[in-house]
Amino acid sequence: MKKTVFLGALTVAGLAAGAAAAGTLDDVKARGKLNCGVTTGLVGFAAPDANGEWNGFDVAVCRAVAAAVLGDPKAVEFVPTTGKTRFTALASGEVDMLARNTTWTFSRDVDLKFTFVGVNYYDGQGFMVSKDLGVGSAKELDGSTVCIQTGTTTELNLADFFRSNNISYEPVPIETNAEAQQQYLAGACDVYTTDASGLAATRATFENPGDHVVLPEIISKEPLGPLVRHGDDEWGDVVRWTLNALVAAEELGITSANIGDMSASAGPNPEINRLLGTEGNLGEMLGLSADWAKNAVMAGGNYGEVFEKNIGEATPIGLSRGLNAQWTDGGLIYAPPFR
């Protein structure tokens, strides 16, 4: 088993080394479309609607990058990936970037040769059970069956948590969130564990969400963010600063409602001027047009607007900002200066 995992890591790293030399920014411009790897379907984060149009918090990052590079937020081919297939898809060049619930870890950076360009959601792993189970703590799950997505950090965290608390469990391996939902509701497992945001998103789709509870324990740090291949710094800069533009726009009070007026001409705030391209040459430095950041924000709003629209407290997902508030509001969301 260890040998298989090791060889798999070598394969992914080798694919990444080969694909990175291509120059992704030029490829995307020539193709006229961004190939963005997303999850197979997680309501609020990335899922197609009844018309097949992808929406969600992670989808908004893909659309912002497409708008920054191509001036068109719809110029995106969304490629569904599972926990097992996502890294091969990125390493091989099938996708230009991944924007799905993927945790930034040492081994994925150093060993698999991927660059996480930032964090768009600070998460942690939790547990969901049926109320009928009568459990109030994850430490009461001794002997339970647990639905767990394979090839994820949650699989490893789960083993560590049960081992450290000297309790046992039986894993029920699944590959996608849709499969986990089906198995959990069918009673194939007592517990579903994944990122707490994913549990909230999954529970929101249940016919009776109130019949299920997310237990209080958060057993890990899961900084989720977009990633690209190592060795293509020009492309990494584009994705990184597009995400930063959405974050900075919220901090600077730039919204989808006022960005038209604020970008019409230079105003009194130099950083806003530089961000929106009415002053300086930040776009040229990235190999993009002067209005790249304006286009990114106009694609779906600033970071706060994207959060509230897709997963915020007024949505069925119902997540509060918490750690994902701006640093000025006590959170961890922070963009380096645009200068």
Side-chain angles (χ1 to χ4, degrees), residues 153-165:
T153 54
T154 54
E155 187 177 18
L156 306 175
N157 297 333
L158 176 68
D160 287 350
F161 176 80
F162 275 76
R163 180 182 177 187
S164 62
N165 285 284

Side-chain angles (χ1 to χ4, degrees), residues 298-313:
M298 290 183 71
N302 65 37
Y303 178 88
E305 291 178 291
V306 170
F307 189 103
E308 296 302 337
K309 176 184 177 182
N310 293 290
I311 58 175
E313 291 181 303

Side-chain angles (χ1 to χ4, degrees), residues 93-172:
E94 179 184 359
V95 299
D96 305 306
M97 58 178 285
L98 275 179
R100 71 187 303 286
N101 47 333
T102 298
T103 304
W104 185 351
T105 71
F106 179 98
S107 60
R108 288 170 178 176
D109 180 344
V110 176
D111 193 28
L112 296 186
K113 311 299 183 189
F114 295 127
T115 297
F116 285 79
V117 302
V119 175
N120 70 329
Y121 192 90
Y122 288 94
D123 211 340
Q125 183 176 345
F127 300 92
M128 179 168 62
V129 298
S130 167
K131 271 188 175 177
D132 293 340
L133 201 60
V135 170
S137 166
K139 295 179 181 178
E140 300 171 21
L141 295 175
D142 189 22
S144 61
T145 52
V146 183
C147 281
I148 178 74
Q149 291 189 53
T150 54
T152 64
T153 54
T154 54
E155 187 177 18
L156 306 175
N157 297 333
L158 176 68
D160 287 350
F161 176 80
F162 275 76
R163 180 182 177 187
S164 62
N165 285 284
N166 196 30
I167 53 179
S168 64
Y169 70 101
E170 180 182 343
V172 179

Side-chain angles (χ1 to χ4, degrees), residues 8-333:
L10 282 179
T11 302
V12 170
L15 286 170
T24 309
L25 178 57
D26 290 340
D27 285 350
V28 173
K29 286 181 175 179
R31 191 190 306 129
K33 184 173 63 177
L34 172 74
N35 293 331
C36 197
V38 292
T39 182
T40 52
L42 182 62
V43 172
F45 285 85
D49 63 17
N51 298 317
E53 184 173 351
W54 285 82
N55 295 289
F57 184 73
D58 290 329
V59 165
V61 177
C62 303
R63 295 199 185 281
V65 172
V69 176
L70 302 168
D72 181 2
K74 292 186 178 298
V76 186
E77 179 73 27
F78 291 99
V79 180
T81 63
T82 69
K84 280 187 174 179
T85 64
R86 56 185 163 179
F87 297 131
T88 302
L90 179 59
S92 67
E94 179 184 359
V95 299
D96 305 306
M97 58 178 285
L98 275 179
R100 71 187 303 286
N101 47 333
T102 298
T103 304
W104 185 351
T105 71
F106 179 98
S107 60
R108 288 170 178 176
D109 180 344
V110 176
D111 193 28
L112 296 186
K113 311 299 183 189
F114 295 127
T115 297
F116 285 79
V117 302
V119 175
N120 70 329
Y121 192 90
Y122 288 94
D123 211 340
Q125 183 176 345
F127 300 92
M128 179 168 62
V129 298
S130 167
K131 271 188 175 177
D132 293 340
L133 201 60
V135 170
S137 166
K139 295 179 181 178
E140 300 171 21
L141 295 175
D142 189 22
S144 61
T145 52
V146 183
C147 281
I148 178 74
Q149 291 189 53
T150 54
T152 64
T153 54
T154 54
E155 187 177 18
L156 306 175
N157 297 333
L158 176 68
D160 287 350
F161 176 80
F162 275 76
R163 180 182 177 187
S164 62
N165 285 284
N166 196 30
I167 53 179
S168 64
Y169 70 101
E170 180 182 343
V172 179
I174 46 94
E175 289 200 14
T176 67
N177 190 67
E179 184 185 356
Q181 179 174 331
Q182 182 182 36
Q183 295 282 47
Y184 171 79
L185 291 176
C189 53
D190 303 313
V191 186
Y192 178 35
T193 182
T194 188
D195 298 335
S197 63
L199 294 178
T202 300
R203 187 175 62 171
T205 65
F206 290 173
E207 185 175 350
N208 297 303
D211 291 346
H212 306 268
V213 294
V214 177
L215 299 177
E217 286 87 354
I218 297 295
I219 65 169
S220 67
K221 293 185 293 184
E222 305 292 338
L224 312 178
L227 56 153
V228 299
R229 291 176 290 275
H230 268 192
D232 193 347
D233 291 346
E234 183 182 24
W235 178 242
D237 286 345
V238 168
V239 181
R240 176 181 300 106
W241 285 97
T242 299
L243 176 60
N244 286 334
L246 302 185
V247 172
E250 182 186 22
E251 179 185 345
L252 295 169
I254 303 168
T255 69
S256 54
N258 64 26
I259 193 169
D261 292 336
M262 296 182 78
S263 62
S265 60
N269 186 318
E271 185 164 21
I272 291 176
N273 295 340
R274 289 190 292 270
L275 179 63
L276 297 182
T278 57
E279 182 178 314
N281 62 341
L282 298 187
E284 181 182 353
M285 293 180 191
L286 279 173
L288 303 177
S289 63
D291 57 358
W292 66 279
K294 170 190 170 184
N295 292 335
V297 175
M298 290 183 71
N302 65 37
Y303 178 88
E305 291 178 291
V306 170
F307 189 103
E308 296 302 337
K309 176 184 177 182
N310 293 290
I311 58 175
E313 291 181 303
T315 70
I317 314 301
L319 295 173
S320 62
R321 290 292 293 268
L323 293 176
N324 298 291
Q326 287 277 340
W327 66 285
T328 49
D329 295 324
L332 299 177
I333 296 299

